[in-house]
Amino acid sequence: MQSGGRSGTRTLDVMSAIRAKVACRALGAGDRLPSIRSLAAAMGVSPSTVVEAYDRLAAEGLIRARRGSGFYVSPTIMPPLALTEVEPRRDREVDPFWVSRQSLDADAAVPKPGCGWLPASWMPEAGLRRAIRALARTEADLLTDYGSTRGGLVLRRLLLARLAEDAIAASVDQLMLTGSGTQATDLVCRFLLRPGDTVLVDDPCYFNFRALLRAHQARIVGVPTTPTGPDVARFEQILSTERPRLYITNSALHNPTGATLSLATAHRLLTAAAAHDLIIIEDDIFGDLEPERSPRLAALDGLNRVIRIGSFSKTLSASVRSGYIAARADWIEHLIDLQVATSFGGSSPVATEIIAKVLVGGGYRKHMEELRQKLTRTRRDVARKLQAIGIEPWLMPRGGFFLWCRLTGGQDATQVARAALEDNVVLAPGNVFSVSQTASHFMRFNVTQMNDPLVWDVLRRALKAAPK
Amino acid sequence: MQSGGRSGTRTLDVMSAIRAKVACRALGAGDRLPSIRSLAAAMGVSPSTVVEAYDRLAAEGLIRARRGSGFYVSPTIMPPLALTEVEPRRDREVDPFWVSRQSLDADAAVPKPGCGWLPASWMPEAGLRRAIRALARTEADLLTDYGSTRGGLVLRRLLLARLAEDAIAASVDQLMLTGSGTQATDLVCRFLLRPGDTVLVDDPCYFNFRALLRAHQARIVGVPTTPTGPDVARFEQILSTERPRLYITNSALHNPTGATLSLATAHRLLTAAAAHDLIIIEDDIFGDLEPERSPRLAALDGLNRVIRIGSFSKTLSASVRSGYIAARADWIEHLIDLQVATSFGGSSPVATEIIAKVLVGGGYRKHMEELRQKLTRTRRDVARKLQAIGIEPWLMPRGGFFLWCRLTGGQDATQVARAALEDNVVLAPGNVFSVSQTASHFMRFNVTQMNDPLVWDVLRRALKAAPK
């Protein structure tokens, strides 16, 4: 039934003929289409060409097959071409969802210095295409069946080796794959939290941690971030007074600040956590972008009270999604049940197969080395250009693609972001990251999404227009 | 860096040489590997061949790259080949998770008459492979970027047309894609339920509804299933006395019984639901397996208090997963926020692209027609064979692949399932489906998973061995 060459053209001819009849009302809503045999004879094509054309028109929604009785023009007043995309709403509150929805739903052409991912041209495209071509030839079971509850074995094997590189010795029963890094965090929250529980996050922190914790009806408390991790004295104090159940953090290349946890801070955090029975989620989603390895809480703690979470969305693909959780084996057992109940399985087998193939396929390590070098140059260049217009990096991060910056002119970042959005540029204003709402003069910039000169024009204009 | 032909063989040679050195301890844990240049010279291969071999060995976990300083043998005592799968536990309670985890984690060779999916050979394999080959050539953004918050437009367009076939007129702002059908149900539960809320399900119902509702800490109440839908008198009574907030059901080809909702029952259900402000999730996951369309609550109600949920896991692929929710536009808006918070997006763009390509690609409609015919024959044949060993279908369903059957010998179905599992056959005993635990003499059989004569031997043996 595959079309191609002349037979494909004929299929399109039949489709056009039917579309034309509908357009000129020769065929109205609910009308029966010519039988396959009669139309084939009338148009001088084979019946299978008409079948193919009808199937496609049915898939498009213009016509419908009634089982056993032929094809009819769809009765609904819904010409498929009239279906336009739902525009992201511009009037909504600038809350933790604001940046997510504006960046996810913006047209591909809209520059997004506020988003949290790399442009397609910075991703390992060739490796992905190779892996997908190989997937088309793999065994049928993998293409059609549900996966195992822990996720694809090959990818888990690779992950255990990668964890070992971070000095985290995990056994096979301490690891499970999830649909994404966010789903991994969500699953752990479902397992550990009850409505009203207190959760500690960094201030500032990844805005979606705030959105996620809201969904769990958690009470959110923030600890100020310093260039070497959270402010330890404040951390210890909060543990005594607020008794949080959980702390969610990024140790390496902290989002949004780019801070790196020092070994001394890590040790003090874990000592305080043990004293107050605090559990920690260490989200390592940007870890592979580090130029050289820095301390991980999970390594010091040995996956006792620290839960390691990660994904491949930042360096491999956010479209072929998969995440993972490494934790105590007894917790993993419960998390698997919870994932079965709420997702009937974890990562898609097709997704884990593609990811594993890219990771094993040679070339990925080289791609990552080049990416890290390119990021170093780009951070430096963008920082310089930002400084020239009064936007000052709080820190020059060791790696990654974020710059957390202060607007030295004293402008309100939310107003700057709103103004930029009017000009079709998505920015990330500081307060979406801040529990205490003390980052109104800060913004997070994704240096890889600022190549378009338009971004800089809009940014300069928005800075000028914004109230101070 | 792609290997192939002679250069591929050379890469394998280099890999073997290094593996042999590690195996015979010429290279120990933590030792530095020969430099790329020196090994290339020693083995008479190009440096790029050695790089490829080292990359692959690193991906396998045998060696590690230290950034900027070459390759080392992994210090962990974890030879990758020793990593064996975690076996599903056999001793666990036969609860709603039992069937899921046994079926999902069983070896591919284990027959699974208890599972809820078709064998790979019954799925549209050729169409999937074509779609994946086309995917390898698609634009880079689609392969690497996050998707829009509502999910791929092409697939949503196709879904709106399919909903129209069920006489459900939904607009584009009433539809969103999710990671899977289960995730769709879970998302709606998160939106609507608070711990302690009462939820009504059919008795028997899909076992994972029970697992999911447990995760939401809901109070679960069951309404008996009849061949034309739930027992309406009991339904009305439960609404008065128990005040459930939500009812979750399958209208067409009810799981596990195969019952079909009648138009009269549908009307009475909706009248009672309106009187008691009950919201209904209509899970249509098996709907495409119907020989001809039956009534849908969502069609009668016009997506007012009924939420339609579905997926492609049963007829297209459970590996390339995607589900959807059709509901009131204002609810969809909230559900999208919730999905951003908990998954940072819905269906994987790669998955929705593959699914849309299979649906549009011609041949799918024909595949489905043939599948429905094959199912009709197989249901009849398997029913006859089951009757011959004292297993009586409660109903001959109009479509689908389940037979809900009574063990006329009075055996305890849980004991039968445990005995069969000892012989490596996964069955689905009645009580995992039953809120009231009144289905101890029932079992659900998946007629498509019973072709192996071993299944019948094991089943006969288990029936004999089980206590009555």
Side-chain angles (χ1 to χ4, degrees):
Chain A
M1 297 278 276
Q2 174 76 317
S3 68
R6 228 161 59 173
S7 115
T9 317
R10 284 176 186 155
T11 305
L12 296 179
D13 289 346
V14 177
M15 292 171 74
S16 299
I18 298 298
R19 277 206 199 90
K21 276 176 198 258
V22 173
C24 71
R25 316 250 165 186
L27 277 169
D31 284 354
R32 192 175 194 283
L33 266 71
S35 77
I36 285 160
R37 206 167 288 271
S38 69
L39 188 63
M43 292 194 64
V45 297
S46 74
S48 69
T49 300
V50 179
V51 169
E52 168 90 11
Y54 279 15
D55 271 354
R56 291 191 180 197
L57 289 170
E60 286 180 3
L62 185 71
I63 68 174
R64 294 192 201 167
R66 283 198 203 140
R67 289 173 197 169
S69 79
F71 286 84
Y72 295 78
V73 178
S74 292
T76 43
I77 316 303
M78 194 187 49
L81 297 179
L83 172 63
T84 54
E85 190 50 280
V86 184
E87 291 273 317
R89 282 171 50 204
R90 303 216 144 171
D91 56 345
R92 62 180 294 161
E93 198 194 337
V94 181
D95 62 8
F97 292 107
W98 189 87
V99 178
S100 317
R101 292 195 62 173
Q102 297 296 350
S103 349
L104 292 170
D105 289 335
D107 193 273
V110 169
K112 295 179 265 293
C115 85
W117 55 90
L118 295 172
S121 56
W122 292 54
M123 299 293 264
E125 184 187 333
L128 274 166
R129 291 193 194 277
R130 266 202 302 275
I132 294 170
R133 283 197 300 271
L135 179 73
R137 297 185 301 268
T138 199
E139 60 273 37
D141 301 23
L142 195 142
L143 300 183
T144 64
D145 281 7
Y146 290 90
S148 71
T149 60
R150 285 168 200 274
L153 184 61
V154 179
L155 184 54
R156 281 188 287 137
R157 187 178 286 183
L158 293 169
L159 272 170
L160 289 179
R162 287 157 71 96
L163 287 172
E165 286 187 42
D166 278 348
I168 299 166
S171 60
V172 63
D173 56 353
Q174 291 185 289
L175 183 68
M176 64 185 284
L177 303 185
T178 62
S180 67
T182 306
Q183 283 184 45
T185 309
D186 180 50
L187 207 57
V188 172
C189 286
R190 290 176 94 141
F191 174 53
L192 293 175
L193 300 181
R194 295 293 161 266
D197 277 354
T198 300
V199 178
L200 183 59
V201 296
D202 301 309
D203 192 352
C205 71
Y206 171 41
F207 50 79
N208 209 48
F209 288 160
R210 296 181 58 210
L212 176 66
L213 291 170
R214 260 194 218 177
H216 285 274
Q217 299 170 65
R219 203 180 130 248
I220 311 174
V221 178
V223 55
T225 301
T226 80
T228 55
D231 178 325
V232 189
R234 285 285 294 132
F235 184 87
E236 289 164 343
Q237 191 195 336
I238 290 167
L239 262 51
S240 297
T241 55
E242 308 282 349
R243 297 267 162 196
R245 169 128 180 88
L246 180 68
Y247 171 47
I248 309 184
T249 191
N250 320 112
S251 298
L253 305 184
H254 174 259
N255 180 4
T257 63
T260 301
L261 186 70
S262 72
L263 199 54
T265 304
H267 174 65
R268 274 185 68 183
L269 288 188
L270 285 174
T271 306
H276 292 91
D277 205 19
L278 176 80
I279 297 168
I280 300 175
I281 295 179
E282 187 174 50
D283 176 357
D284 201 55
I285 206 160
F286 295 101
D288 286 342
L289 296 172
E290 277 194 305
E292 63 286 317
R293 293 284 163 181
S294 63
R296 294 292 190 279
L297 292 169
L300 269 73
D301 170 69
L303 292 179
N304 177 28
R305 63 177 61 256
V306 176
I307 297 168
R308 156 76 164 242
I309 272 171
S311 90
F312 308 90
S313 303
K314 303 307 176 187
T315 54
L316 200 151
S317 168
S319 174
V320 185
R321 296 184 81 187
S322 183
Y324 68 89
I325 305 175
R328 281 169 43 175
D330 57 333
W331 290 357
I332 291 290
E333 199 61 30
H334 288 291
L335 289 165
I336 288 174
D337 272 349
L338 202 49
Q339 182 159 263
V340 166
T342 58
S343 306
F344 207 67
S347 190
S348 141
V350 156
T352 56
E353 180 76 4
I354 295 174
I355 292 167
K357 284 219 161 81
V358 174
L359 293 178
V360 180
Y364 182 70
R365 191 183 59 84
K366 185 152 169 283
H367 164 81
M368 286 302 299
E369 296 243 332
E370 286 168 0
L371 174 61
R372 284 186 286 260
Q373 285 166 19
K374 194 167 165 190
L375 284 173
T376 302
R377 290 194 301 274
T378 311
R379 281 195 309 276
R380 197 188 50 214
D381 294 349
V382 170
R384 207 174 285 147
K385 285 178 81 174
L386 285 170
Q387 284 167 321
I389 58 171
I391 299 178
E392 192 65 42
W394 177 76
L395 175 82
M396 270 310 282
R398 294 164 48 250
F401 48 80
F402 292 136
L403 291 176
W404 177 244
C405 300
R406 200 163 53 83
L407 309 183
T408 59
Q411 297 93 339
D412 181 276
T414 300
Q415 298 299 329
V416 173
R418 274 201 191 282
L421 189 60
E422 291 300 316
D423 289 328
N424 269 316
V425 169
V426 177
L427 298 177
N431 272 347
V432 304
F433 302 88
S434 173
V435 176
S436 61
Q437 295 291 291
T438 50
S440 55
H441 302 307
F442 282 83
M443 288 200 133
R444 185 192 74 180
F445 291 96
N446 178 338
V447 300
T448 67
Q449 300 274 5
M450 301 180 73
N451 206 27
D452 186 340
L454 172 74
V455 169
W456 296 92
D457 292 346
V458 168
L459 190 54
R460 268 187 294 264
R461 240 190 343 259
L463 282 172
K464 259 194 203 147
K468 301 192 179 180
Chain B
M1 298 277 279
Q2 173 78 317
S3 69
R6 227 162 59 174
S7 115
T9 317
R10 283 176 185 153
T11 305
L12 296 178
D13 289 345
V14 176
M15 290 171 75
S16 299
I18 298 297
R19 278 207 199 91
K21 275 178 199 260
V22 172
C24 71
R25 317 249 163 186
L27 277 170
D31 284 355
R32 193 175 195 282
L33 265 71
S35 77
I36 285 160
R37 206 167 287 272
S38 68
L39 188 64
M43 292 194 62
V45 298
S46 74
S48 69
T49 300
V50 178
V51 168
E52 169 90 10
Y54 279 15
D55 271 353
R56 292 191 178 197
L57 290 169
E60 287 181 2
L62 185 71
I63 68 174
R64 294 192 201 168
R66 283 199 203 138
R67 288 170 198 170
S69 78
F71 287 84
Y72 295 78
V73 179
S74 292
T76 44
I77 315 304
M78 195 187 50
L81 297 179
L83 173 63
T84 53
E85 190 51 281
V86 184
E87 292 273 318
R89 281 172 50 202
R90 304 215 144 173
D91 57 343
R92 62 181 292 159
E93 199 194 336
V94 180
D95 62 8
F97 292 108
W98 189 86
V99 180
S100 317
R101 292 196 61 176
Q102 297 296 351
S103 343
L104 292 170
D105 288 336
D107 193 272
V110 170
K112 296 179 265 289
C115 85
W117 54 91
L118 295 173
S121 57
W122 294 54
M123 299 292 266
E125 184 186 333
L128 274 166
R129 290 193 195 277
R130 267 202 301 276
I132 294 169
R133 283 197 300 271
L135 179 74
R137 298 186 299 268
T138 199
E139 61 274 36
D141 301 23
L142 195 142
L143 301 183
T144 63
D145 279 7
Y146 290 90
S148 72
T149 61
R150 286 169 199 274
L153 184 62
V154 179
L155 183 54
R156 281 188 287 137
R157 185 178 288 181
L158 293 169
L159 273 170
L160 289 178
R162 287 157 70 97
L163 288 172
E165 285 187 43
D166 278 349
I168 300 165
S171 62
V172 63
D173 57 353
Q174 291 184 287
L175 184 68
M176 65 185 284
L177 303 184
T178 62
S180 66
T182 307
Q183 282 183 47
T185 310
D186 180 52
L187 207 58
V188 173
C189 288
R190 290 177 95 141
F191 173 53
L192 293 175
L193 300 181
R194 294 293 161 265
D197 277 354
T198 299
V199 178
L200 183 60
V201 296
D202 301 310
D203 191 353
C205 72
Y206 171 41
F207 51 78
N208 209 48
F209 288 161
R210 296 181 57 211
L212 176 66
L213 291 170
R214 260 194 218 178
H216 286 274
Q217 300 171 65
R219 201 180 132 246
I220 311 175
V221 178
V223 56
T225 301
T226 81
T228 55
D231 177 328
V232 189
R234 285 284 295 132
F235 184 88
E236 289 166 344
Q237 191 194 337
I238 290 167
L239 262 52
S240 297
T241 57
E242 308 283 348
R243 298 264 162 198
R245 170 128 178 86
L246 181 67
Y247 171 46
I248 309 184
T249 191
N250 321 111
S251 298
L253 305 185
H254 174 258
N255 180 3
T257 64
T260 301
L261 186 70
S262 72
L263 199 55
T265 303
H267 174 66
R268 275 186 66 184
L269 288 187
L270 285 173
T271 307
H276 292 91
D277 205 18
L278 176 79
I279 297 167
I280 300 175
I281 295 180
E282 187 174 50
D283 176 356
D284 201 55
I285 204 158
F286 296 101
D288 285 342
L289 297 173
E290 276 195 305
E292 62 287 317
R293 292 284 163 183
S294 63
R296 294 291 192 279
L297 293 169
L300 269 73
D301 169 72
L303 292 179
N304 176 27
R305 62 179 60 256
V306 176
I307 298 168
R308 155 77 163 242
I309 272 170
S311 90
F312 308 90
S313 302
K314 303 304 178 188
T315 53
L316 200 151
S317 166
S319 173
V320 185
R321 298 183 80 186
S322 183
Y324 67 89
I325 304 173
R328 282 169 41 177
D330 56 334
W331 291 357
I332 292 289
E333 199 60 30
H334 287 292
L335 288 165
I336 288 173
D337 272 350
L338 202 47
Q339 182 160 261
V340 166
T342 59
S343 306
F344 207 67
S347 191
S348 139
V350 156
T352 57
E353 179 76 4
I354 294 174
I355 292 167
K357 284 218 160 83
V358 175
L359 293 178
V360 179
Y364 182 71
R365 193 185 57 83
K366 186 153 168 282
H367 163 82
M368 286 302 297
E369 296 242 333
E370 287 168 358
L371 174 61
R372 282 186 287 260
Q373 285 165 19
K374 194 168 166 190
L375 284 173
T376 301
R377 290 194 303 274
T378 311
R379 278 194 310 275
R380 199 188 48 214
D381 295 348
V382 169
R384 208 174 285 147
K385 286 178 80 174
L386 284 170
Q387 285 167 321
I389 57 170
I391 299 178
E392 193 64 42
W394 177 78
L395 175 82
M396 271 308 287
R398 294 165 47 252
F401 48 81
F402 293 135
L403 290 177
W404 176 243
C405 299
R406 200 164 52 84
L407 309 184
T408 58
Q411 297 91 339
D412 181 278
T414 299
Q415 298 300 328
V416 174
R418 274 202 190 283
L421 190 60
E422 291 301 316
D423 288 329
N424 268 316
V425 169
V426 177
L427 297 177
N431 271 347
V432 304
F433 302 89
S434 173
V435 175
S436 61
Q437 294 290 290
T438 51
S440 56
H441 302 307
F442 282 82
M443 287 201 133
R444 186 192 72 181
F445 291 96
N446 178 338
V447 300
T448 67
Q449 300 275 3
M450 300 180 74
N451 207 25
D452 187 340
L454 172 75
V455 168
W456 296 92
D457 293 345
V458 167
L459 190 53
R460 268 188 294 266
R461 241 193 339 261
L463 282 172
K464 259 192 203 148
K468 301 191 178 182

